[in-house]
Amino acid sequence: MSMNTFEPNWASPPGATVLDLLQERGLQMKELAERAHRDVQSVTRLIFGVEPLTSDWAECLSNVLGATTGFWLRREETYRSDLRRICEAVGESPAEWMSEVPLKDMVKLGWIERGTSAHETALNACAFFGVTTSSSFERKYTRLMAASAYRASNAYATRPSAVAAWLRQGEIAASAVDCAPWNPDRLHASLEAIRELTLEADPNVFLPTLEAILAASGVAMVVARTPEGCRASGATRFLNSDRALMQLSFRYLADDQFWFTVFHEVGHLLLHARDEVFLEGLEDRNSEAEKEADDFALQNLFAKVGTEVLESAPPSLRSILRLAQNAGIAPGIVVGQLQRCGRVPYKHFNNLKARYSWAD
């Protein structure tokens, strides 16, 4: 009597079992992270199949969720084996069809593990994206890219696969953010509190506060550097009916650009269709939606004084500082907008802008 071994045409990460057991026991990812002595992002990456389930993880999961360490290690082995088998079954190497994906940057940024070979690194990227073939990659991200304004941008060397990687990192990181259900009224009521944050120059201070304000309105905020080939400074979209995502890259490393992007993205969330993806830095600046988001950002940043002052204020240091004080915003934002409307040359007053840097 012969028996055939069942080989599924899908690869389910052990994180799926972890998530089922967490829900069954009424536990939050945060609680698992605390018991495992890890951060929530690590738990999230495990659940998505991005972070390998090591013997340390197996022991932790056994203690918290049950089953033996052997069960968890076999679960990981089965997943990696299925992933490899399915990826190789179609006769195309993941390393080949992922040649446009910025794998080196994804490793450098800590999004995926570096494999012992280019093939293994590509398999790790398959786990990251949740795909197993080039066609599944295209199906999953073609709609996302088509829904975004990327299609209108031809000015820069932007690669769709790099944008997809950045957006996917946003999805994964957003799942670790504890959010209230989407509440547009609360978000609108929070604009003054967000505006006051512009006066704080230290991202270590204002980012946690901004994250908390947005989360209370149902918006998961994620800060993620962009890989080569992705020039986005921000993005907004709805992940589901109760949760929106605001993704920021700090691309320009200056307060005027950062805060304008924040208010611009809030504008998209409050004004525009929930099935759209908006990518700041890649979009058609002349589109109606982008003009509306720009106007929203400008009006709310200068809500205390009105935007007309940008046309009448003398372009002097004293005037800029006085205007910033009256508006309740950082002087760098005033400089940026005066530069934007042509009242001040782009090389003038840049010393008033707060500058940021990445801690590598």
Side-chain angles (χ1 to χ4, degrees):
M1 178 178 179
S2 63
M3 297 183 65
N4 294 322
T5 302
F6 173 67
E7 292 186 335
N9 60 354
W10 67 87
S12 172
T17 304
V18 172
L19 192 59
D20 287 342
L21 291 173
L22 287 174
Q23 294 173 346
E24 183 180 299
R25 288 159 173 71
L27 296 174
Q28 300 293 323
M29 285 191 288
K30 183 179 179 180
E31 295 176 81
L32 175 58
E34 289 173 351
R35 297 190 192 185
H37 303 292
R38 298 170 185 257
D39 56 34
V40 180
Q41 288 75 20
S42 181
V43 174
T44 301
R45 289 164 53 78
L46 179 74
I47 287 174
F48 275 85
V50 178
E51 182 167 325
L53 197 159
T54 62
S55 56
D56 288 343
W57 258 123
E59 184 175 351
C60 171
L61 293 175
S62 179
N63 291 334
V64 177
L65 300 177
T68 64
T69 57
F71 166 83
W72 290 111
L73 291 173
R74 286 192 298 274
R75 185 71 174 81
E76 169 72 9
E77 183 181 357
T78 298
Y79 168 60
R80 300 296 167 182
S81 176
D82 286 343
L83 184 66
R84 180 182 295 274
R85 173 177 53 78
I86 297 169
C87 287
E88 295 174 349
V90 293
E92 54 178 354
S93 169
E96 293 178 0
W97 60 264
M98 280 203 171
S99 60
E100 291 298 312
V101 177
L103 298 180
K104 290 183 179 179
D105 278 359
M106 291 171 67
V107 170
K108 181 179 178 181
L109 293 168
W111 298 355
I112 62 173
E113 298 280 332
R114 184 189 301 277
T116 57
S117 64
H119 182 70
E120 188 172 306
T121 301
L123 287 174
N124 291 340
C126 288
F128 172 86
F129 285 110
V131 299
T132 54
T133 64
S134 59
S135 59
S136 63
F137 180 84
E138 291 172 3
R139 283 196 303 271
K140 186 170 185 176
Y141 291 100
T142 294
R143 181 181 180 278
L144 189 60
M145 297 307 301
S148 75
Y150 165 82
R151 61 186 180 276
S153 176
N154 296 311
Y156 302 106
T158 298
R159 299 205 306 269
S161 59
V163 178
W166 185 68
L167 292 173
R168 176 58 170 170
Q169 174 61 20
E171 294 175 0
I172 294 172
S175 66
V177 180
D178 187 15
C179 284
W182 166 243
N183 188 330
D185 293 334
R186 182 160 187 171
L187 179 58
H188 196 277
S190 301
L191 289 172
E192 183 174 354
I194 297 175
R195 187 169 57 244
E196 291 175 356
L197 285 179
T198 70
L199 298 170
E200 174 55 58
D202 186 354
N204 292 315
V205 176
F206 68 70
L207 281 178
T209 305
L210 178 60
E211 179 180 339
I213 291 173
L214 292 173
S217 301
V219 182
M221 184 194 81
V222 170
V223 174
R225 297 178 73 167
T226 53
E228 182 180 355
C230 176
R231 300 177 62 88
S233 58
T236 48
R237 54 186 160 136
F238 279 85
L239 300 176
N240 55 51
S241 60
D242 283 334
R243 175 183 288 244
L245 166 61
M246 179 188 293
Q247 191 167 346
L248 305 166
S249 72
F250 273 91
R251 177 184 165 196
Y252 296 99
L253 298 174
D255 64 345
D256 63 317
Q257 295 280 359
F258 175 81
W259 287 109
F260 190 84
T261 298
V262 169
F263 277 85
H264 179 99
E265 303 303 348
V266 171
H268 279 313
L269 291 173
L270 292 176
L271 300 176
H272 300 132
R274 295 172 64 172
D275 60 348
E276 297 249 8
V277 179
F278 296 96
L279 280 162
E280 179 72 9
L282 306 180
E283 73 288 344
D284 177 7
R285 302 302 305 173
N286 295 316
S287 75
E288 194 64 30
E290 294 308 319
K291 289 180 180 179
E292 290 174 353
D294 279 349
D295 289 343
F296 178 93
L298 200 59
Q299 290 166 10
N300 282 281
L301 280 167
F302 291 86
K304 289 186 176 182
V305 294
T307 59
E308 299 81 7
V309 297
L310 293 171
E311 297 296 334
S312 59
S316 65
L317 175 61
R318 183 176 181 180
S319 175
I320 290 171
L321 294 177
R322 182 169 59 248
L323 175 52
Q325 184 176 23
N326 292 338
I329 57 179
I333 298 174
V334 177
V335 173
Q337 292 310 310
L338 288 174
Q339 291 172 339
R340 186 171 181 170
C341 64
R343 297 290 317 289
V344 168
Y346 276 97
K347 292 184 178 180
H348 290 194
F349 301 113
N350 287 324
N351 60 308
L352 295 179
K353 297 180 182 181
R355 301 289 180 176
Y356 311 126
S357 61
W358 291 101
D360 290 322

